[in-house]
Each structure stands twice: as structure tokens, then as C-alpha cells.
Amino acid sequence: MKALQLEMALFRVEKVVAGSETKLRDGVLSVDQDELADKVRTDERLRAVEVRVANPGDSVRIVPVKDVIEPRLRVSGEGYPLPTFPGMIDKAAQVGYGRTLVLRGAAVVTAGAILGFQEGFIDMRGPAAQYSPFSQTHNVVLVCEPVPDLPPHQHEEAMRLAGLRAATYLAQAALPLAPDEVETISWLPTQGGAPNGGRLPRVGYLYMLQSQGLLHDTYLYGADAKHILPTLLSPTEAIDGALVSGNCVSACDKNTTYHHQNNPVIMELCQRHGRDLEFVAVLITNENVTLEDKRLSSSRVATLGGMLGLDGVIISKEGFGNPDTDLMMNCSKLEEIGIKTVLITDEYAGSDGASQSLADAHPAADAVISTGNANQEVELVELDVVIGDPDRLPALAGATGTDNRIELQAVTGATNELGFSNLTARWQ
Amino acid sequence: MVHYLNQFFAQIGGEDKADLPPSAREGVIGPGQAFAKEFGDQAEIVTTVYCGDSYFAEHIAKAQEKCVKLIAAAQPDVVLVGPAFNAGRYGMACGAVAQGVAQRLSIPVVGGLFPENPGYEMYRQYAFFVETKGSAVGMREAVPRMARLALKLARGEEIGPPAEEGYLPRGCRKNFFAPESGAKRAVAMLLRKMAGLPFTTEYPMPEFDRVPPAKNLPDAGQALVALVTSGGIVPKGNPDRIPASSAGRYASYSLAGVTDLSPDQYQTVHGGYDPTYANADPDRVLPVDAARALEKEGRIGSLYERYFVTVGNGTSVANAARFAGEIAQALKNDGVQAVILTST
């Protein structure tokens, strides 16, 4: 068997500007705003699309933010035409091997209110900027306006597809160029052999996807995650377009499509694969709302973990409150059969930090990574330019009723539970 | 800075002056001199506020309010309380002052307490309490440690964990940036856990409150039943301004004469779910229509004349527990025997 080998051809983007032609030269991505808007407006559900750019340090606020996507294009592998986001804007095919062009440092940001309070914001400078990873990316923002009376679910889908289309459109700018760097992620089961002849611990990654429905949805090859049973993914396909966010939910701890494409747990486990551990599989599961579904999914997770002979599992979560129960059920059922777990979660400890952080708890959850208290407030300063609609800011989940403070909850990616950032919390 | 003292340390008198109400004086008094020496030219105690221990204990709300007012007038950057060592009433007063200052003025407070002083357990989250000896013999040690923390806070510096900075744990979660990402820390922790090596969880599990279900009603057909929801159904316009998430309050509204919730008169303010279906028919979240039907059929005695509502979206467990206690007491006082609790 050959290793699943994914070549990520990286093209560095150090600045994004508006231009008469879409091209990439010397790290500067110029964007033909009209052409990009036309590509995206092929969806008749979008009445108007405005394309804007924002670079780190600019006095710019983007609000309300729906999704963030890394510009990518698959250029070799299976499928014709080659799929970048199979099941979404492309035909179904195997991803996770072959070559994918990546505009590293760039991001597509989709903006425009669908539900108003369930989107987030990104500040490119000021006190809130340090909490969003997307204050550090060079952003091409699509401000999308739907046709009148478009139902929210249609609106969400139209914006989701618009973001993906823009991501593949922008990545085409790299086609004539040689990459700055090629990162090869090669994954093949090691058959358990450690470099020193011993046995490496067998590690799995349990990837919990938000799937509560009513616009809290994630898509796996286009399949709605609330209808899947827990299943296995290869580490390379998980980061190569198989997973797409369809979430309108609190911004701090939802996984944007960008987070899926750059899942830090998968990257870290791949790096240590064959050296410190054997990365056996990604187990994908959902976070459904009924207790019966939670029972079913967590039991399937434990069975799969047992079948794979895992010694340990990292569990990441998406969202908060209701999914705390899925997290605890997954943890306790895996620990019950002797599989060690480490959980990644954020906290909702109140703005003073004095409340209990999670809505559920279990004694088996003795190894927890915290990605920070989402209720902690940050100062809101005035910025020169607002892309989108500034009036939506006071309505976001996380707004405090004051003009100058907001909870991290509203900052896109602030307490991401894949452990994407360095934010954490401790006792004071 | 402003310094809070009791009547004894303010050099007014002993137990005979303990019923002295709050007052203030410009400049330093008693232990304030030691702080002034410690601060040098980096900070100044502009006002000292003091109150008799008995007066404070017997008029907590009033004394707290008055002290906060006197402190606010001086516009300090940091407030010092005590140290109160193991003096119970004085420790409680220091804590109450700290609570008022932290909650109403958002100004940091530094104090000094013996760990068994009841003021610590009660008010630990509102101040940085340096650990002191049980009596005033510990003054000499306490002052420089309190002064160091006060200066750090005055300069707006981050305060590290309790053991590092020398204060008693406040029981508060505080954000900071770790040197490595959460994902890297997670893999490192798992490797240690699998190898049987010691590791430190970043969030120790709380004692979880398991509530045994109540006994069945002996006769539901006679029972007074109430509706309570965390699904955010409020009269149109949200008159009590319940927030879409992280709710700090709940409200209660009359159901007298209401048989069905119309979308013209009710809406949801919950920010955690798609409100389309709840707004189209608010009975989907607060089932007044179904409850009235049960009432008519005699399957419940009657529907309680009011309902309680909050939003359970990112709302802290501490707030939720407080709401629940108050709502349950109000329902009990009115003779409600059962509650239908709808969530979303």
C-alpha cells in the first residue's frame, strides 16, 4: 500500500490589494473585484456582492462575519474536473492525496447578516485583534446581500458556496507560479514499530462537529453531519476540503472552514506520527440535540476506538453548552474501555470568571486543555473603516449592552476548540 | 489609592467605638503610613475610609453603599482594604467593601487576610487577598506584599497565578496566552497521560450538582402547574431587555387570559438558535396552548398565572443557579406544585 501523500504547494501572500486583474506577484495578491463578484453572483440567490480587502494592522472592522476559507485549488489527484470542495461546489471524489495549491496567509471572509446575533466580528487592529487569528491573515471580504425574502437556510447555503467559489477562484492566481514551499504530509499506518524497536502508543483524534441543526451545521463531503454515524477519515482528507462549515453560531468557538483546512491537532499528530506515537485515524462524530442521538454517537465512538486498539484519543469540541454533554459522554465511554483521553474545550465562566465553566462534567475528564473563557470581555475601540454593517455589532451573541466592551464570544476564532490559538485560562 | 480601615486601625477607638458609621479623611492613618513608605513616590494614599466593625456587620448593605460612595469620590486607581488578619467582622467588612468596589466601580482591590477569616471564603473573588498571619503581628510582612500587588495593578500589569504572586486563590478563571497552541499542549498532555507520567489538567472538573428527580404528583388533575423557559420567549419588544446570550437576569409575565401565544405579541430573544420557528409560533417554546388544553381536559388542575423566562445561551452556571433558586422560591410561595421547564 502506498502512503496517502498530500502535497501542499504553498504560495506566500503578504499583502492583498484591489487591482484590475487577479494575480499573485512577489507575495502581493491583487484582486479584480468585479470579476470575483461576477463569479460569486452566478448564484441567483445573491442580489449583490461587494468585494473588499483588509490587511493586518489596517484600521478595519469586519462585521458580521459568517465563515473564513483558505484559498485553495487541487491540481492533481483523483476526479475530473479535480474537486477542491467535493460534494459542495465540486463533484464527489477522493481528496487528501495529490497536490493542492494553497495561498498561505490569505483568507476569504464571508460577511453579511443571516441571523444577526449568530455571526462574529474581526478587528484588524486594536485590543480585539489579538484574539482572532484572522486579524493576521490578508483578507478578501465578500459582503453578500441576498434577494428579498430569501429563507435563512437558503441564504446560509448561498453564502457558504460563495465563499468556496471565491477560495478556488483566488487560488487560480497561483497556477502560473512555482510555489514558495511544498509541505508534504505523508500518512501510512506505521504497523506499530517505534524508531527504537519498541511499540508506539496508538493515538486517535476524535473530531466533534457542530450538528445541532437550525443553521448549526457542518458538512462532510456535502453530507449533513447530523445524519452521519461516527466514521473514520484519513488525516490528509480531513484537511483537504472534505469538511466545510455551515455554521451560524457563536463566533469564538465555531470551526470555520479555514480551521478545518488547517486543523492543528491533525498537523501536530502527523508531525509526531512514527516518532512519538502512531496516528491511527481521525474519528469524526456529530453533536446532535437529542439524548438518543448523543447516546448512539458516543457509543459508536467507543466501539470504533476499541476496534482500532487505541491507547489514547484527543477529543476536540465545537460550540458550547449542549455539546458539553457530547464531550463528557465521549470521554467517559472511551475511558471506560481503557482508552486515555485529553479534551479540548473553551470555558463560559462568566465575565468575572467566577462561575462553573462547563454545562456538564464527569470525573473521567481529568485531562482538559482550556482554550480560554469566552465570557471575558475585551475593549471595543473605534476603527476608521467598517466592512459590512456596524449596526449588527450590538446584536451579536457576546454583546454586553455597552458600546465599548464585548465578550470574546463575538470574536471570530477567539476560543477555537481545535486548539488553534494560544489563548487559555487559569485560576486567579 | 484609597485605604479602608476599621475603627481600631483608624485610631478612633476599640470596641466602644465599633458602632461608628462610615466616614472618610484625607491622607493616611495608622497602617497607611507603612504603605506610604512602601510606595515611595510611585503611589499615594489620598483618602482613608473607615467604619466601625459592629456598625458594618449590622448594616451591611448600607455601610457597603456608603463606603463605595466615599471611595468613588476620591477616584482611586486601586483600593486597599485592611489587612484584617483573622478579625472576623473586620474581614467581612473588607470583603464587602471589595465586592462593592469591584462590582460598581470596576476598580481593583488588594487586601490581606488570614485564610480562615470568613471574609475570605465569602468575598475571595472580589480582591487580591494576601495571606497574613492570624493577628496584627503579621503587619510587617503583609504590607510590602500588598503594596507590590497594588502597584502592579495600578500600572495595569497582568497578575499571574496565586502561588506566583503571593495572594490567596480568588476562584476566578482568567485568560492568558500560553507559549504553545492548545493543540500542541493537548498532544503533549496525552503522551504524558498514556506514559503514566504526571500531568496537570488546565480545567479541574467541578463538583457536579446531580439533582434527584422529584416524586410524581399524587394527583396532577388537582395541581397548580407553572411554565418556566430558558428559551427566551418574551412579550414583543423585550420590555425587560433580556440579553440574547450570557443572561444576567430573568423576567416573569402574566398569562392571565392568555390561551395561545400569538406571533404579534410574543417573540424569542434567544441568540443560540434559529428563531424562525419560535417566532412563527412562540407556543413551540413556551407551550401555553398545550397547557391550556390540558387544563381544559382536567389533566392538570390549573396553569399558574405567570411564567418565568430567561435565555440559556452562554449564561453562566452561577447565574442560572441563582435564577433557579429565586424562581423556585417564588413559585413555592404561590403554591405551585409542578413546573414544566422548556429549554431549547
Side-chain angles (χ1 to χ4, degrees):
Chain A
M1 188 176 84
K2 282 208 302 197
L4 283 171
Q5 187 160 302
L6 175 63
E7 287 175 12
M8 313 260 267
L10 307 181
F11 298 79
R12 302 249 167 246
V13 173
E14 278 143 13
K15 193 174 185 177
V16 54
V17 296
S20 57
E21 169 189 12
T22 298
K23 62 170 195 259
L24 177 62
R25 185 186 287 167
D26 301 329
V28 179
L29 175 66
S30 55
V31 181
D32 179 340
Q33 291 157 294
D34 295 336
E35 189 178 66
L36 173 52
D38 285 345
K39 288 273 173 206
V40 168
R41 253 199 320 261
T42 52
D43 193 322
E44 287 166 355
R45 296 172 293 189
L46 298 178
R47 191 172 73 84
V49 177
E50 187 193 1
V51 177
R52 304 279 294 271
V53 298
N55 287 287
D58 288 354
S59 184
V60 170
R61 168 169 299 146
I62 311 168
V63 65
V65 171
K66 178 193 184 289
D67 197 13
V68 184
I69 308 104
E70 186 166 55
R72 289 193 180 184
L73 188 69
R74 288 186 77 244
V75 291
S76 82
E78 192 235 355
Y80 182 82
L82 281 165
T84 300
F85 295 105
M88 298 302 301
I89 56 168
D90 298 311
K91 298 274 184 223
Q94 194 180 5
V95 293
Y97 80 108
R99 191 176 179 94
T100 298
L101 307 187
V102 181
L103 299 194
R104 186 55 48 89
V108 172
V109 176
T110 50
I114 297 175
L115 292 175
F117 38 70
Q118 294 182 9
E119 279 88 35
F121 78 100
I122 299 168
D123 276 3
M124 301 306 287
R125 78 148 73 154
Q130 63 182 318
Y131 293 102
S132 178
F134 309 114
S135 68
Q136 297 308 307
T137 50
H138 303 271
N139 299 328
V140 177
V141 187
L142 307 178
V143 184
C144 302
E145 203 184 305
V147 295
D149 302 322
L150 188 67
H153 298 80
Q154 291 281 330
H155 185 182
E156 186 283 320
E157 186 185 78
M159 275 180 70
R160 172 167 21 105
L161 301 181
L164 302 179
R165 289 194 181 104
T168 54
Y169 164 82
L170 290 173
Q172 285 171 28
L175 278 171
L177 306 174
D180 296 308
E181 192 189 328
V182 177
E183 194 180 353
T184 302
I185 299 164
S186 187
W187 182 79
L188 183 72
T190 62
Q191 322 295 342
N196 61 6
R199 178 184 168 279
L200 287 171
R202 293 173 63 80
V203 174
Y205 167 40
L206 178 58
Y207 199 162
M208 292 172 51
L209 303 176
Q210 177 58 266
S211 64
Q212 294 176 327
L214 295 178
L215 300 181
H216 299 184
D217 298 301
T218 305
Y219 296 90
L220 171 63
Y221 288 104
D224 184 339
K226 66 176 162 289
H227 300 305
I228 65 166
L229 283 177
T231 187
L232 304 180
L233 288 193
S234 90
T236 56
E237 70 182 325
I239 57 170
D240 194 32
L243 288 165
V244 167
S245 169
N247 271 309
C248 298
V249 67
S250 287
C252 64
D253 57 10
K254 75 173 183 184
N255 298 327
T256 66
T257 300
Y258 190 102
H259 287 109
H260 291 305
Q261 293 170 303
N262 290 280
N263 184 308
V265 176
I266 292 177
M267 300 309 276
E268 179 69 5
L269 289 173
C270 279
Q271 257 193 8
R272 287 176 174 252
H273 178 58
R275 183 161 49 99
D276 304 318
L277 52 85
E278 183 183 359
F279 187 7
V280 177
V282 177
L283 286 91
I284 208 118
T285 189
N286 49 19
E287 300 173 352
N288 285 7
V289 285
T290 66
L291 183 58
E292 199 56 16
D293 275 354
K294 289 179 194 300
R295 283 183 175 138
L296 175 61
S297 289
S298 55
S299 296
R300 293 297 309 143
V301 160
T303 300
L304 288 173
M307 286 170 68
L308 294 169
L310 299 179
D311 296 304
V313 172
I314 306 266
I315 311 177
S316 69
K317 193 181 71 172
E318 182 170 12
F320 62 95
N322 189 303
D324 297 350
T325 297
D326 299 90
L327 181 70
M328 293 303 154
M329 289 171 82
N330 285 325
C331 162
S332 59
K333 289 185 187 184
L334 286 167
E335 291 275 353
E336 177 67 30
I337 58 170
I339 298 175
K340 303 270 193 288
T341 59
V342 169
L343 284 48
I344 310 178
T345 178
D346 62 354
E347 305 184 34
Y348 284 76
S351 59
D352 59 3
S355 178
Q356 182 180 304
S357 296
L358 299 179
D360 202 356
H362 196 282
D366 63 357
V368 179
I369 294 295
S370 165
T371 59
N373 176 16
N375 292 133
Q376 193 166 312
E377 293 173 5
V378 63
E379 191 191 348
L380 264 181
V381 294
E382 225 168 283
L383 297 176
D384 295 342
V385 178
V386 177
I387 298 177
D389 181 359
D391 295 340
R392 291 288 174 172
L393 201 61
L396 297 181
T400 58
T402 64
D403 291 341
N404 57 359
R405 305 197 61 79
I406 197 160
E407 289 186 0
L408 291 180
Q409 192 184 162
V411 179
T412 301
T415 60
N416 174 268
E417 295 164 294
L418 305 179
F420 193 83
S421 303
N422 291 21
L423 192 71
T424 183
R426 63 186 168 202
W427 290 112
Q428 195 182 57
Chain B
M1 302 203 186
V2 169
H3 195 185
Y4 174 81
L5 297 171
N6 70 355
Q7 85 285 354
F8 176 75
F9 285 99
Q11 300 171 349
I12 309 290
E15 204 51 43
D16 54 321
K17 300 284 183 191
D19 51 2
L20 180 83
S23 36
R25 212 164 83 189
E26 258 181 59
V28 297
I29 308 179
Q33 282 160 7
F35 282 105
K37 215 165 137 194
E38 207 61 45
F39 291 145
D41 56 4
Q42 298 179 77
E44 187 191 348
I45 294 175
V46 291
T47 299
T48 302
V49 173
Y50 50 92
C51 179
D53 284 334
S54 300
Y55 181 89
F56 209 112
E58 285 158 22
H59 310 84
I60 290 183
K62 209 165 134 190
Q64 186 190 42
E65 200 187 322
K66 179 75 180 157
C67 286
V68 169
K69 221 178 216 170
L70 293 168
I71 290 167
Q75 297 183 296
D77 298 303
V78 176
V79 174
L80 299 164
V81 293
F85 310 103
N86 199 21
R89 286 176 309 168
Y90 186 21
M92 291 292 275
C94 285
V97 168
Q99 180 192 39
V101 168
Q103 288 184 337
R104 282 178 237 159
L105 309 179
S106 297
I107 296 171
V109 182
V110 176
L113 290 176
F114 183 66
E116 282 163 37
N117 190 312
Y120 167 62
E121 190 55 43
M122 183 97 174
Y123 295 108
R124 60 183 189 157
Q125 76 200 67
Y126 303 109
F128 293 92
F129 287 113
V130 162
E131 179 175 345
T132 68
K133 292 213 166 84
S135 73
V137 298
M139 184 69 83
R140 195 192 292 233
E141 273 171 57
V143 169
R145 288 161 60 196
M146 282 174 64
R148 194 188 70 85
L149 271 177
L151 286 173
K152 250 187 129 164
L153 287 162
R155 288 192 291 259
E157 289 175 24
E158 285 289 315
I159 305 295
E164 217 171 86
E165 302 272 6
Y167 61 91
L168 293 164
R170 290 154 47 95
C172 293
R173 302 294 286 170
K174 183 87 178 157
N175 287 344
F176 73 104
F177 288 98
E180 286 196 315
S181 75
K184 281 184 190 286
R185 303 200 308 278
V187 174
M189 190 184 284
L190 183 64
L191 286 170
R192 293 189 71 84
K193 187 172 170 179
M194 289 187 303
L197 297 168
F199 61 90
T200 308
T201 183
E202 295 178 356
Y203 176 64
M205 282 294 114
E207 290 287 324
F208 207 70
D209 188 15
R210 302 270 171 202
V211 182
K215 288 202 184 82
N216 284 349
L217 288 172
D219 184 1
Q222 296 297 317
L224 179 60
V225 178
L227 292 177
V228 177
T229 186
S230 59
I233 301 293
V234 295
K236 201 98 176 189
N238 191 15
D240 291 290
R241 297 174 63 88
I242 295 179
S245 76
S246 308
R249 55 182 173 271
Y250 61 91
S252 129
Y253 300 105
S254 172
L255 287 174
V258 181
T259 52
D260 191 0
L261 301 181
S262 93
D264 303 330
Q265 286 173 309
Y266 293 89
Q267 66 171 118
T268 181
V269 288
H270 197 293
Y273 64 91
D274 174 358
T276 309
Y277 304 102
N279 284 339
D281 183 358
D283 290 290
R284 287 177 170 141
V285 175
L286 185 74
V288 174
D289 56 352
R292 289 293 184 210
L294 292 175
E295 194 179 35
K296 216 168 165 182
E297 291 163 24
R299 290 166 66 191
I300 61 172
S302 59
L303 183 63
Y304 178 60
E305 63 189 11
R306 302 184 72 79
Y307 76 96
F308 286 87
V309 55
T310 188
V311 159
N313 177 32
T315 295
S316 68
V317 174
N319 273 343
R322 177 169 64 81
F323 301 165
E326 292 173 10
I327 293 170
Q329 193 57 55
L331 294 174
K332 240 179 137 172
N333 291 348
D334 280 359
V336 171
Q337 289 152 287
V339 175
I340 295 170
L341 189 61
T342 59
S343 63
T344 49

PDB file of all heavy atoms in Angstrom, chain B residues 246-261:
ATOM      1  N   SER B 246     -25.558  35.050  27.565  1.00  0.00           N
ATOM      2  CA  SER B 246     -24.932  35.419  28.846  1.00  0.00           C
ATOM      3  C   SER B 246     -25.893  36.242  29.699  1.00  0.00           C
ATOM      4  O   SER B 246     -25.546  37.313  30.187  1.00  0.00           O
ATOM      5  CB  SER B 246     -23.649  36.215  28.614  1.00  0.00           C
ATOM      6  OG  SER B 246     -22.803  35.548  27.732  1.00  0.00           O
ATOM      7  N   ALA B 247     -27.109  35.723  29.867  1.00  0.00           N
ATOM      8  CA  ALA B 247     -28.137  36.494  30.573  1.00  0.00           C
ATOM      9  C   ALA B 247     -27.756  36.715  32.027  1.00  0.00           C
ATOM     10  O   ALA B 247     -27.320  35.799  32.719  1.00  0.00           O
ATOM     11  CB  ALA B 247     -29.476  35.770  30.490  1.00  0.00           C
ATOM     12  N   GLY B 248     -27.946  37.939  32.482  1.00  0.00           N
ATOM     13  CA  GLY B 248     -27.725  38.261  33.890  1.00  0.00           C
ATOM     14  C   GLY B 248     -29.042  38.440  34.612  1.00  0.00           C
ATOM     15  O   GLY B 248     -29.070  38.839  35.757  1.00  0.00           O
ATOM     16  N   ARG B 249     -30.174  38.200  33.911  1.00  0.00           N
ATOM     17  CA  ARG B 249     -31.466  38.365  34.569  1.00  0.00           C
ATOM     18  C   ARG B 249     -32.539  37.499  33.922  1.00  0.00           C
ATOM     19  O   ARG B 249     -32.355  36.979  32.833  1.00  0.00           O
ATOM     20  CB  ARG B 249     -31.893  39.822  34.580  1.00  0.00           C
ATOM     21  CG  ARG B 249     -31.922  40.480  33.211  1.00  0.00           C
ATOM     22  CD  ARG B 249     -32.319  41.961  33.353  1.00  0.00           C
ATOM     23  NE  ARG B 249     -32.205  42.643  32.080  1.00  0.00           N
ATOM     24  CZ  ARG B 249     -31.094  43.231  31.666  1.00  0.00           C
ATOM     25  NH1 ARG B 249     -30.007  43.172  32.399  1.00  0.00           N
ATOM     26  NH2 ARG B 249     -31.055  43.855  30.505  1.00  0.00           N
ATOM     27  N   TYR B 250     -33.654  37.395  34.647  1.00  0.00           N
ATOM     28  CA  TYR B 250     -34.826  36.693  34.133  1.00  0.00           C
ATOM     29  C   TYR B 250     -36.007  37.624  34.335  1.00  0.00           C
ATOM     30  O   TYR B 250     -35.883  38.670  34.964  1.00  0.00           O
ATOM     31  CB  TYR B 250     -35.028  35.357  34.869  1.00  0.00           C
ATOM     32  CG  TYR B 250     -35.266  35.511  36.350  1.00  0.00           C
ATOM     33  CD1 TYR B 250     -36.560  35.641  36.857  1.00  0.00           C
ATOM     34  CD2 TYR B 250     -34.196  35.558  37.247  1.00  0.00           C
ATOM     35  CE1 TYR B 250     -36.776  35.803  38.221  1.00  0.00           C
ATOM     36  CE2 TYR B 250     -34.399  35.719  38.604  1.00  0.00           C
ATOM     37  CZ  TYR B 250     -35.689  35.840  39.084  1.00  0.00           C
ATOM     38  OH  TYR B 250     -35.900  36.013  40.421  1.00  0.00           O
ATOM     39  N   ALA B 251     -37.145  37.227  33.787  1.00  0.00           N
ATOM     40  CA  ALA B 251     -38.326  38.071  33.964  1.00  0.00           C
ATOM     41  C   ALA B 251     -39.534  37.172  34.145  1.00  0.00           C
ATOM     42  O   ALA B 251     -39.461  35.953  33.905  1.00  0.00           O
ATOM     43  CB  ALA B 251     -38.517  38.985  32.758  1.00  0.00           C
ATOM     44  N   SER B 252     -40.635  37.762  34.564  1.00  0.00           N
ATOM     45  CA  SER B 252     -41.861  36.996  34.696  1.00  0.00           C
ATOM     46  C   SER B 252     -43.012  37.826  34.158  1.00  0.00           C
ATOM     47  O   SER B 252     -43.046  39.051  34.348  1.00  0.00           O
ATOM     48  CB  SER B 252     -42.024  36.605  36.165  1.00  0.00           C
ATOM     49  OG  SER B 252     -43.283  36.929  36.647  1.00  0.00           O
ATOM     50  N   TYR B 253     -43.903  37.181  33.428  1.00  0.00           N
ATOM     51  CA  TYR B 253     -45.003  37.893  32.777  1.00  0.00           C
ATOM     52  C   TYR B 253     -46.321  37.174  33.031  1.00  0.00           C
ATOM     53  O   TYR B 253     -46.349  35.943  33.179  1.00  0.00           O
ATOM     54  CB  TYR B 253     -44.755  37.998  31.258  1.00  0.00           C
ATOM     55  CG  TYR B 253     -43.470  38.742  30.945  1.00  0.00           C
ATOM     56  CD1 TYR B 253     -42.338  38.047  30.523  1.00  0.00           C
ATOM     57  CD2 TYR B 253     -43.384  40.124  31.108  1.00  0.00           C
ATOM     58  CE1 TYR B 253     -41.149  38.714  30.258  1.00  0.00           C
ATOM     59  CE2 TYR B 253     -42.201  40.795  30.857  1.00  0.00           C
ATOM     60  CZ  TYR B 253     -41.089  40.087  30.425  1.00  0.00           C
ATOM     61  OH  TYR B 253     -39.917  40.752  30.186  1.00  0.00           O
ATOM     62  N   SER B 254     -47.386  37.945  33.012  1.00  0.00           N
ATOM     63  CA  SER B 254     -48.709  37.387  33.290  1.00  0.00           C
ATOM     64  C   SER B 254     -49.206  36.532  32.128  1.00  0.00           C
ATOM     65  O   SER B 254     -48.975  36.845  30.962  1.00  0.00           O
ATOM     66  CB  SER B 254     -49.688  38.536  33.529  1.00  0.00           C
ATOM     67  OG  SER B 254     -50.995  38.007  33.612  1.00  0.00           O
ATOM     68  N   LEU B 255     -49.896  35.442  32.489  1.00  0.00           N
ATOM     69  CA  LEU B 255     -50.570  34.625  31.468  1.00  0.00           C
ATOM     70  C   LEU B 255     -52.078  34.712  31.640  1.00  0.00           C
ATOM     71  O   LEU B 255     -52.817  33.940  31.026  1.00  0.00           O
ATOM     72  CB  LEU B 255     -50.122  33.160  31.587  1.00  0.00           C
ATOM     73  CG  LEU B 255     -48.701  32.843  31.123  1.00  0.00           C
ATOM     74  CD1 LEU B 255     -48.358  31.390  31.437  1.00  0.00           C
ATOM     75  CD2 LEU B 255     -48.546  33.106  29.631  1.00  0.00           C
ATOM     76  N   ALA B 256     -52.528  35.649  32.485  1.00  0.00           N
ATOM     77  CA  ALA B 256     -53.970  35.750  32.745  1.00  0.00           C
ATOM     78  C   ALA B 256     -54.702  36.028  31.433  1.00  0.00           C
ATOM     79  O   ALA B 256     -54.370  36.979  30.724  1.00  0.00           O
ATOM     80  CB  ALA B 256     -54.234  36.863  33.753  1.00  0.00           C
ATOM     81  N   GLY B 257     -55.627  35.184  31.119  1.00  0.00           N
ATOM     82  CA  GLY B 257     -56.424  35.377  29.910  1.00  0.00           C
ATOM     83  C   GLY B 257     -55.715  34.965  28.631  1.00  0.00           C
ATOM     84  O   GLY B 257     -56.290  35.056  27.550  1.00  0.00           O
ATOM     85  N   VAL B 258     -54.480  34.511  28.719  1.00  0.00           N
ATOM     86  CA  VAL B 258     -53.753  34.112  27.507  1.00  0.00           C
ATOM     87  C   VAL B 258     -53.985  32.622  27.261  1.00  0.00           C
ATOM     88  O   VAL B 258     -53.736  31.784  28.129  1.00  0.00           O
ATOM     89  CB  VAL B 258     -52.239  34.385  27.656  1.00  0.00           C
ATOM     90  CG1 VAL B 258     -51.492  33.999  26.385  1.00  0.00           C
ATOM     91  CG2 VAL B 258     -51.986  35.845  28.009  1.00  0.00           C
ATOM     92  N   THR B 259     -54.465  32.289  26.064  1.00  0.00           N
ATOM     93  CA  THR B 259     -54.693  30.875  25.749  1.00  0.00           C
ATOM     94  C   THR B 259     -53.758  30.390  24.660  1.00  0.00           C
ATOM     95  O   THR B 259     -53.586  29.192  24.469  1.00  0.00           O
ATOM     96  CB  THR B 259     -56.143  30.651  25.272  1.00  0.00           C
ATOM     97  OG1 THR B 259     -56.404  31.585  24.214  1.00  0.00           O
ATOM     98  CG2 THR B 259     -57.139  30.889  26.393  1.00  0.00           C
ATOM     99  N   ASP B 260     -53.165  31.311  23.961  1.00  0.00           N
ATOM    100  CA  ASP B 260     -52.347  30.947  22.808  1.00  0.00           C
ATOM    101  C   ASP B 260     -51.381  32.115  22.588  1.00  0.00           C
ATOM    102  O   ASP B 260     -51.796  33.258  22.649  1.00  0.00           O
ATOM    103  CB  ASP B 260     -53.293  30.795  21.586  1.00  0.00           C
ATOM    104  CG  ASP B 260     -52.597  30.153  20.401  1.00  0.00           C
ATOM    105  OD1 ASP B 260     -51.408  29.821  20.516  1.00  0.00           O
ATOM    106  OD2 ASP B 260     -53.262  30.005  19.358  1.00  0.00           O
ATOM    107  N   LEU B 261     -50.098  31.834  22.361  1.00  0.00           N
ATOM    108  CA  LEU B 261     -49.139  32.930  22.176  1.00  0.00           C
ATOM    109  C   LEU B 261     -49.118  33.322  20.705  1.00  0.00           C
ATOM    110  O   LEU B 261     -48.735  32.512  19.862  1.00  0.00           O
ATOM    111  CB  LEU B 261     -47.741  32.499  22.623  1.00  0.00           C
ATOM    112  CG  LEU B 261     -47.588  32.058  24.072  1.00  0.00           C
ATOM    113  CD1 LEU B 261     -46.133  31.698  24.359  1.00  0.00           C
ATOM    114  CD2 LEU B 261     -48.053  33.143  25.039  1.00  0.00           C
TER     115      LEU B 261
END
